[in-house]
Amino acid sequence: MLSCNSALVAIASEFTGQYAPYQSVQLTPAPNGGLWITATDKGNVACLAFDPSGSSDRTYNILPNSELIRASRGVKTASRTLTLEGSTAKVTTYRKTTSETKEMPFSESSSDLPDLPGAIQTCIARWEATDAKTATAGRYSVSYVQRAIKGLSSISSSVTLHSFDGGPMRIQEATGDIVILVMPQTAEPIPSIPDWIYKYSQLKPQI
């Protein structure tokens, strides 16, 4: 049986791939409590989340369907919990004085997600070793960045963005419980500040 914040699963489902083994959202119990929620579409983008209140008796690789995603999406006026038991998913919406539960079937992938933790280890090592000044910048797909910010906007009104030279852009919301990594299309020299910005900065205020 599994229980977690359904909004995190809905966001992660936006970053799965079309083909196995990338079609699923992986929900993994952490050794000291809580639940990791991860997804990737074959390396272009990855979503990593942690629900400190989540729990599970095993790892699930669920195949998100439209009904489950729609029911799980976060709302700012209530909290939602996803529970999995057998082949049934339940999403319960808790409001101040009422609660409502929707039930639906769900399926699991027969394939495990590839070694995403190993890739993240490499990223962490690079983040920790990056000098204050870097030589290159990543060029990122606008659609991936938009999807990341749109997904996070369901649970937070602000995000932080950070990238190392030519590497993944790390987008996360205020609590730090969910992180989206957008991989660069290319690593390029950091672009020069456009000349018009310099000129605009010298503009004198009109009296």
Side-chain angles (χ1 to χ4, degrees), residues 2-3 55 57 75 88 95 101 119 163 165 183 199 202 204:
L2 177 147
S3 176
S55 62
D57 56 357
V75 290
T88 301
R95 296 185 172 84
T101 299
S163 63
D165 52 326
M183 309 307 167
K199 291 180 179 177
Q202 301 300 314
K204 303 297 182 183

Side-chain angles (χ1 to χ4, degrees), residues 87-129:
S87 59
T88 301
K90 298 180 182 179
V91 178
T92 303
T93 302
Y94 297 95
R95 296 185 172 84
K96 288 184 177 180
T97 57
T98 62
S99 64
E100 176 187 4
T101 299
K102 293 183 179 180
E103 293 189 14
M104 64 217 73
F106 78 96
S107 301
E108 291 190 68
S109 172
S110 58
S111 303
D112 285 334
L113 203 65
D115 185 23
L116 188 57
I120 299 306
Q121 284 181 13
T122 302
C123 290
I124 290 173
R126 188 69 182 91
W127 280 324
E128 291 179 342

Side-chain angles (χ1 to χ4, degrees), residues 28-36 50-56:
T28 308
N32 296 318
L35 195 71
W36 288 304
F50 180 69
D51 182 358
S53 300
S55 62
S56 180

Side-chain angles (χ1 to χ4, degrees), residues 42-167:
K42 200 177 177 178
N44 291 312
V45 66
C47 176
L48 304 97
F50 180 69
D51 182 358
S53 300
S55 62
S56 180
D57 56 357
R58 64 177 178 88
T59 295
Y60 286 78
N61 291 289
I62 66 171
L63 297 170
N65 58 64
S66 57
E67 185 180 12
L68 177 60
I69 295 170
R70 187 167 53 250
S72 297
R73 291 195 191 283
V75 290
K76 295 178 180 178
T77 57
S79 62
R80 282 180 168 159
T81 299
L82 169 67
T83 58
L84 304 178
E85 188 169 10
S87 59
T88 301
K90 298 180 182 179
V91 178
T92 303
T93 302
Y94 297 95
R95 296 185 172 84
K96 288 184 177 180
T97 57
T98 62
S99 64
E100 176 187 4
T101 299
K102 293 183 179 180
E103 293 189 14
M104 64 217 73
F106 78 96
S107 301
E108 291 190 68
S109 172
S110 58
S111 303
D112 285 334
L113 203 65
D115 185 23
L116 188 57
I120 299 306
Q121 284 181 13
T122 302
C123 290
I124 290 173
R126 188 69 182 91
W127 280 324
E128 291 179 342
T130 299
D131 293 332
K133 294 184 178 180
T134 57
T136 61
R139 180 176 291 277
Y140 302 91
S141 165
V142 171
S143 64
Y144 284 128
V145 175
Q146 286 178 326
R147 284 167 57 190
I149 294 175
K150 181 180 178 182
L152 294 175
S153 69
S154 67
I155 59 173
S156 183
S157 60
S158 64
V159 297
T160 58
L161 299 91
H162 173 265
S163 63
F164 57 73
D165 52 326

